[in-house]
């Protein structure tokens, strides 16, 4: 799952809090081009099972989320589904 945020600093904050509270490893990555919302955006990549927890964590920590997408492979291609 990709949680899109506005900066690398915000992504690092979300990553650290999510790993601590959810228990899944998280990674700060550049947002894939297919779901990028303009400019240079960053995402936190974390297991799909953390969806509800991540939404709560972002809200509780006043972290603005631009979008949340789940990545699936269909016919050998990556497809992204908005689950914001």
């Amino acid at each position: 799952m990709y949680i899109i945020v506005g900066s690398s600093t915000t992504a690092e904050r979300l990553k650290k809090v999510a790993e601590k509270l959810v228990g899944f490893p998280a990674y700060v990555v550049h947002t894939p081009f297919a779901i990028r919302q303009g400019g240079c955006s960053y995402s936190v990549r974390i297991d799909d099972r953390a969806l509800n927890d991540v939404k709560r964590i972002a809200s509780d920590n006043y972290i603005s989320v631009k979008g949340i997408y789940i990545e699936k492979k269909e016919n050998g291609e990556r497809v992204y589904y908005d689950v914001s």
Side-chain angles (χ1 to χ4, degrees), residues 2-76:
Y2 290 90
I3 301 101
I4 302 172
V5 294
S7 71
S8 60
T9 303
T10 303
E12 282 294 335
R13 264 183 62 217
L14 180 57
K15 171 196 177 299
K16 287 178 184 176
V17 175
E19 282 182 328
K20 181 178 178 182
L21 297 177
V22 177
F24 292 117
Y27 307 92
V28 174
V29 298
H30 285 283
T31 304
F33 184 77
I35 57 175
R36 192 171 295 166
Q37 299 174 353
C40 183
S41 71
Y42 290 87
S43 293
V44 174
R45 181 137 190 202
I46 194 166
D47 193 286
D48 296 350
R49 295 173 287 177
L51 176 61
N52 292 327
D53 292 323
V54 167
K55 286 181 176 181
R56 180 184 44 78
I57 289 166
S59 176
D60 290 351
N61 289 278
Y62 305 101
I63 296 173
S64 178
V65 172
K66 295 182 175 186
I68 301 175
Y69 292 84
I70 291 179
E71 177 184 77
K72 301 284 183 188
K73 285 207 175 183
E74 294 180 4
N75 299 321

